[in-house]
Amino acid sequence: LGAGERLRAAAATGGDPVLRYDYGGGPRELPRSVVLAQAIHHATEHRAQVFATLSAHGIEGLTLDDLDVWAHHDAETGTTPA
């Protein structure tokens, strides 16, 4: 199975609670995994926009791969990856 098929199969197991909330003036029901995936996707869009803006202003030397949560955690806690 491909990654998308595996994700859909995992979502169909019943272990993904449905969230109910108001959005855009009306009620919505979505699996928690969809809300989480959208939040990650949205953050990625903003991260790319920040880098594009910095580059447009001549600030170079950073890559998207330089900034990640794992490296931040290691730097803040002084831990070393195994």
Side-chain angles (χ1 to χ4, degrees), residues 9-23:
T13 63
D16 193 11
V18 172
L19 303 177
R20 292 169 180 82
Y21 59 96
D22 286 332
Y23 179 80

Side-chain angles (χ1 to χ4, degrees), residues 12-56:
T13 63
D16 193 11
V18 172
L19 303 177
R20 292 169 180 82
Y21 59 96
D22 286 332
Y23 179 80
R28 287 289 302 256
E29 291 186 4
L30 288 169
R32 179 176 57 191
S33 61
V34 171
V35 176
L36 178 61
Q38 176 56 31
I40 293 168
H41 173 71
H42 189 80
T44 301
E45 286 183 54
H46 285 298
R47 190 171 122 163
Q49 290 169 344
V50 167
F51 275 81
T53 301
L54 291 173
S55 293

Side-chain angles (χ1 to χ4, degrees), residues 70-82:
W70 306 118
H72 175 73
H73 171 268
D74 294 343
E76 290 294 311
T77 62
T79 57
T80 306

Side-chain angles (χ1 to χ4, degrees), residues 26 30 40 51-52 57 59-60 63 69 71 80:
L30 288 169
I40 293 168
F51 275 81
H57 286 41
I59 299 170
E60 300 292 337
T63 66
V69 175
T80 306

